[in-house]
Amino acid sequence: NAGVTQTPKFRILKIGQSMTLQCTQDMNHNYMYWYRQDPGMGLKLIYYSVGAGITDKGEVPNGYNVSRSTTEDFPLRLELAAPSQTSVYFCASLRTSGNYEQFFGPGTRLTVL
Amino acid sequence: ILNVEQSPQSLHVQEGDSTNFTCSFPSSNFYALHWYRWETAKSPEALFVMTLNGDEKKKGRISATLNTKEGYSYLYIKGSQPEDSATYLCASSNQAGTALIFGKGTTLSVSS
């Protein structure tokens, strides 16, 4: 299993540009999450999904959109990039059998200038 | 929204020292407490998931305890090694599969 994969690893955007951060998992997990990590702030939940076709807002959803058309994919969309969205973005999925372990992707470092 | 607090924010110890840090979380509607180890430039790696009051889990020199009634968990590292240097995150959830709320982490630095 590749686990949770994210693309791209790095990206620089200009203010107002849009982009999609890709996330894919091959573990057949229903639950998937997007977090952002800012210095000294830990991980903040942006959006999460409990299955294909179902998404819900987390703590900091403003400026982002998500979709979940398949179990495997959970893309995060930034429509009008702002400097405040400069961060490291982590996608994760949750195993709901056994010990409910959450698996993280390698992260996407985004800079908005 | 749950509020998860971790202390201390950072910690510096010498090789061979034993250490521990604290995670506090709201005890009402508690479902699970997760501990992660997060090395710089890597993604968080799961250490433990605990759900039952009084739970104790161990992985090598690292162990954790859980008190759901008073809302705290301790992470212990016995005989710290330089490779233990990392940020240790805890996260709590109040329902199976719903969002984990993370603390800000405790950053451990171990000098040889």
Side-chain angles (χ1 to χ4, degrees), chain B residues 11-21 61 76-82 84 108-112:
Chain B
L11 191 58
H12 184 97
V13 301
Q14 295 295 313
E15 183 176 359
D17 289 349
S18 294
T19 187
N20 65 84
F21 358 108
R61 294 178 290 99
Y76 300 92
I77 302 179
K78 184 178 178 182
S80 302
Q81 300 296 309
D84 295 328
L108 173 67
S109 175
V110 182
S111 299
S112 56

Side-chain angles (χ1 to χ4, degrees), chain A residues 31 33 37 45 99-100 102 105, chain B residues 34 36 38 43 49 97 99-100:
Chain A
Y31 295 85
Y33 309 83
Q37 185 241 335
L45 182 68
N99 65 0
Y100 281 83
Q102 193 172 53
Chain B
H34 299 238
Y36 291 86
W38 195 5
S43 52
V49 180
L100 297 180

Side-chain angles (χ1 to χ4, degrees), chain B residues 31-86:
Chain B
Y31 180 79
L33 191 285
H34 299 238
W35 279 102
Y36 291 86
R37 182 173 180 276
W38 195 5
E39 291 183 68
T40 303
K42 294 185 178 180
S43 52
E45 175 189 351
L47 287 173
F48 307 113
V49 180
M50 297 184 288
T51 57
L52 300 176
N53 185 45
D55 234 355
E56 288 190 35
K57 295 215 172 177
K58 186 175 181 180
K59 184 182 288 188
R61 294 178 290 99
I62 304 176
S63 60
T65 61
L66 179 67
N67 183 322
T68 61
K69 292 183 179 179
E70 296 182 38
Y72 65 84
S73 175
Y74 293 133
L75 188 79
Y76 300 92
I77 302 179
K78 184 178 178 182
S80 302
Q81 300 296 309
E83 58 264 31
D84 295 328
S85 298

